[in-house]
PDB file of all heavy atoms in Angstrom:
ATOM      1  N   ARG A  82     112.598  90.767 114.364  1.00  0.00           N
ATOM      2  CA  ARG A  82     111.197  90.966 114.731  1.00  0.00           C
ATOM      3  C   ARG A  82     111.113  91.691 116.059  1.00  0.00           C
ATOM      4  O   ARG A  82     111.916  91.470 116.961  1.00  0.00           O
ATOM      5  CB  ARG A  82     110.474  89.615 114.888  1.00  0.00           C
ATOM      6  CG  ARG A  82     110.401  88.755 113.660  1.00  0.00           C
ATOM      7  CD  ARG A  82     109.414  89.243 112.625  1.00  0.00           C
ATOM      8  NE  ARG A  82     108.085  89.441 113.119  1.00  0.00           N
ATOM      9  CZ  ARG A  82     107.107  88.534 113.078  1.00  0.00           C
ATOM     10  NH1 ARG A  82     107.327  87.350 112.573  1.00  0.00           N
ATOM     11  NH2 ARG A  82     105.915  88.822 113.536  1.00  0.00           N
ATOM     12  N   ALA A  83     110.102  92.538 116.178  1.00  0.00           N
ATOM     13  CA  ALA A  83     109.824  93.205 117.447  1.00  0.00           C
ATOM     14  C   ALA A  83     109.054  92.238 118.326  1.00  0.00           C
ATOM     15  O   ALA A  83     108.241  91.458 117.850  1.00  0.00           O
ATOM     16  CB  ALA A  83     109.012  94.472 117.213  1.00  0.00           C
ATOM     17  N   SER A  84     109.312  92.305 119.599  1.00  0.00           N
ATOM     18  CA  SER A  84     108.610  91.451 120.544  1.00  0.00           C
ATOM     19  C   SER A  84     107.165  91.900 120.669  1.00  0.00           C
ATOM     20  O   SER A  84     106.867  93.093 120.701  1.00  0.00           O
ATOM     21  CB  SER A  84     109.294  91.529 121.903  1.00  0.00           C
ATOM     22  OG  SER A  84     108.533  90.878 122.874  1.00  0.00           O
ATOM     23  N   ALA A  85     106.262  90.955 120.736  1.00  0.00           N
ATOM     24  CA  ALA A  85     104.839  91.270 120.863  1.00  0.00           C
ATOM     25  C   ALA A  85     104.508  91.811 122.249  1.00  0.00           C
ATOM     26  O   ALA A  85     103.418  92.302 122.477  1.00  0.00           O
ATOM     27  CB  ALA A  85     103.997  90.045 120.573  1.00  0.00           C
ATOM     28  N   THR A  86     105.450  91.713 123.180  1.00  0.00           N
ATOM     29  CA  THR A  86     105.203  92.209 124.531  1.00  0.00           C
ATOM     30  C   THR A  86     105.864  93.550 124.777  1.00  0.00           C
ATOM     31  O   THR A  86     105.937  93.999 125.906  1.00  0.00           O
ATOM     32  CB  THR A  86     105.719  91.194 125.572  1.00  0.00           C
ATOM     33  OG1 THR A  86     107.115  91.018 125.366  1.00  0.00           O
ATOM     34  CG2 THR A  86     104.990  89.877 125.454  1.00  0.00           C
ATOM     35  N   THR A  87     106.376  94.169 123.711  1.00  0.00           N
ATOM     36  CA  THR A  87     107.027  95.471 123.863  1.00  0.00           C
ATOM     37  C   THR A  87     106.031  96.465 124.436  1.00  0.00           C
ATOM     38  O   THR A  87     104.901  96.558 124.000  1.00  0.00           O
ATOM     39  CB  THR A  87     107.538  95.977 122.502  1.00  0.00           C
ATOM     40  OG1 THR A  87     108.395  94.991 121.962  1.00  0.00           O
ATOM     41  CG2 THR A  87     108.268  97.275 122.642  1.00  0.00           C
ATOM     42  N   SER A  88     106.475  97.201 125.432  1.00  0.00           N
ATOM     43  CA  SER A  88     105.586  98.203 126.019  1.00  0.00           C
ATOM     44  C   SER A  88     106.251  99.559 125.913  1.00  0.00           C
ATOM     45  O   SER A  88     107.363  99.692 125.458  1.00  0.00           O
ATOM     46  CB  SER A  88     105.285  97.864 127.476  1.00  0.00           C
ATOM     47  OG  SER A  88     106.489  97.857 128.204  1.00  0.00           O
ATOM     48  N   GLY A  89     105.566 100.559 126.359  1.00  0.00           N
ATOM     49  CA  GLY A  89     106.073 101.919 126.267  1.00  0.00           C
ATOM     50  C   GLY A  89     104.972 102.808 125.750  1.00  0.00           C
ATOM     51  O   GLY A  89     103.800 102.470 125.808  1.00  0.00           O
ATOM     52  N   SER A  90     105.346 103.963 125.241  1.00  0.00           N
ATOM     53  CA  SER A  90     104.322 104.864 124.737  1.00  0.00           C
ATOM     54  C   SER A  90     103.739 104.291 123.461  1.00  0.00           C
ATOM     55  O   SER A  90     104.452 103.996 122.506  1.00  0.00           O
ATOM     56  CB  SER A  90     104.932 106.244 124.463  1.00  0.00           C
ATOM     57  OG  SER A  90     105.924 106.128 123.477  1.00  0.00           O
TER      58      SER A  90
END
Side-chain angles (χ1 to χ4, degrees):
R82 298 286 306 267
S84 171
T86 60
T87 304
S88 61
S90 62

